[in-house]
Amino acid sequence: MSLAVKRRDPAALVLLAGPVLLCALAIIVPLVLTLVVSFWERKMIGMQPGFTLTSYGLFFEGARFSVLRRSFFVAISSTLIMLLIAYAVAYLITFRLKPSRTRIFLFLLSVPFLVNYVIRTFAWAYLLGRTGPVNQFLLDLGVINQPLDWLLFSDFAVYLGLIAAYMPFMVYPIWLSLSAIDKRLIEASWMLGEAPLQTFLRVVLPLSLPGVFAAAIFGFVGAFGEVAVSQILGGVGYQLMGNAITSSLDVLNYPMAAAMSTVVVGCMLIMLLLWLRFFDLRLFLGKVLGR
């Protein structure tokens, strides 16, 4: 909104001030407090205000840094897997389903979110357990002679839990981005003699990248800071950054927890800035906004 418009419509400025102030109080203030506490010093069960890099030093030199590297690997690899699945699902919804069925399919994708995701994660633990339905089904078919131990408390279980928890979130932005593509561009590519694969690589995929990057952010942020999935499906000792932060909070080491949280938020902020730098949000939401 330009300065001239603000001067002509002070009521709009007042209406905007409320949400902006609320966002500042609910989001920015806690982040700033976390950053400030990360420089404080731990004293017994409390903290002493000051400015020290002790918590950051212990974090980057200690075992917690290996948790950060592992979290990066798990988050990136699971995000790539989720992107492949989500893009295929979104593509089929956009170009293969009738509009009436699209609405139903999108609704079905949101149904699992009616149940708390911690409860859904415990349900996966039951399904993948030694006496769970999956092992029992494979035993009944004669595929295996004894229950598979690696189905639960393993990397496989964690990846499966992450995909089940966050992949549906990633379908929606990709679907929005694909739906916003002008179909005449695809038809023009076909008329110029491009094969379907070349049309996809040169037209559809580049134009859907804003949605793909948004979906990647949703998936990466969720997987990177995950707590419940790694704790329930990964078993004792399986830690991602979310578990490392809660472990520090359990022993009242608030400066360390704040330092790790600041690093995580910094990584997320870098991704958001890259998204802002290379993509226009209006392209992603163009279909919805009608622009």
Side-chain angles (χ1 to χ4, degrees):
M1 181 181 292
S2 66
L3 183 60
V5 173
K6 292 179 181 177
R7 287 174 177 173
R8 286 198 302 266
D9 192 2
L13 183 60
V14 173
L15 289 175
L16 287 175
V20 170
L21 182 60
L22 182 62
C23 289
L25 291 175
I27 300 176
I28 298 177
V29 171
L31 293 178
V32 172
L33 288 176
T34 301
L35 177 64
V36 171
V37 172
S38 69
F39 295 113
W40 289 7
E41 186 177 0
R42 182 188 185 192
K43 287 292 185 183
M44 299 300 288
I45 59 173
M47 299 177 293
Q48 179 176 336
F51 185 84
T52 175
L53 298 176
T54 302
S55 297
Y56 288 97
L58 292 173
F59 172 54
F60 286 107
E61 294 176 358
R64 295 182 181 88
F65 187 60
S66 62
V67 177
L68 177 65
R69 293 199 301 267
R70 182 180 193 176
S71 298
F72 261 118
F73 176 77
V74 171
I76 291 174
S77 55
S78 62
T79 300
L80 290 176
I81 296 172
M82 290 188 285
L83 270 181
L84 291 175
I85 300 173
Y87 199 99
V89 172
Y91 187 90
L92 292 175
I93 294 174
T94 306
F95 297 110
R96 294 292 183 268
L97 282 185
K98 295 179 180 179
S100 58
R101 294 182 179 178
T102 298
R103 182 180 179 184
I104 297 174
F105 196 90
L106 291 175
F107 170 75
L108 292 176
L109 276 178
S110 64
V111 169
F113 301 114
L114 297 176
V115 179
N116 183 279
Y117 97 110
V118 175
I119 298 176
R120 284 187 277 123
T121 304
F122 273 113
W124 277 112
Y126 164 71
L127 292 173
L128 301 176
R130 284 182 60 86
T131 59
V134 175
N135 266 316
Q136 190 60 49
F137 178 70
L138 295 176
L139 286 170
D140 292 342
L141 289 180
V143 178
I144 56 177
N145 297 322
Q146 59 183 5
L148 299 175
D149 292 325
W150 55 265
L151 286 180
L152 187 60
F153 304 140
S154 62
D155 286 326
F156 169 80
V158 173
Y159 276 85
L160 184 61
L162 291 175
I163 292 171
Y166 298 107
M167 190 276 292
F169 284 117
M170 300 169 69
V171 172
Y172 293 105
I174 298 175
W175 170 74
L176 278 173
S177 201
L178 288 172
S179 300
I181 296 176
D182 191 339
K183 302 299 185 296
R184 291 173 296 183
L185 296 175
I186 300 175
E187 295 170 357
S189 177
W190 292 344
M191 294 177 66
L192 291 173
E194 290 287 1
L197 179 60
Q198 294 300 320
T199 299
F200 172 77
L201 294 177
R202 295 184 177 183
V203 179
V204 177
L205 182 60
L207 291 176
S208 63
L209 283 182
V212 171
F213 204 82
I217 290 177
F218 292 159
F220 181 84
V221 169
F224 192 53
E226 181 56 47
V227 177
V229 170
S230 51
Q231 188 170 354
I232 297 171
L233 299 181
V236 178
Y238 197 106
Q239 284 204 336
L240 298 179
M241 279 306 296
N243 306 107
I245 293 172
T246 54
S247 296
S248 295
L249 291 174
D250 290 340
V251 296
L252 306 181
N253 193 349
Y254 299 116
M256 175 60 74
M260 290 190 289
S261 300
T262 301
V263 172
V264 172
V265 171
C267 295
M268 301 300 111
L269 185 60
I270 291 174
M271 289 195 67
L272 290 176
L273 290 176
L274 287 175
W275 186 29
L276 181 66
R277 173 66 179 83
F278 293 107
F279 299 108
D280 187 347
L281 185 62
R282 291 171 298 182
L283 296 176
F284 164 54
L285 297 175
K287 186 75 172 181
V288 177
L289 297 176
R291 294 175 180 173

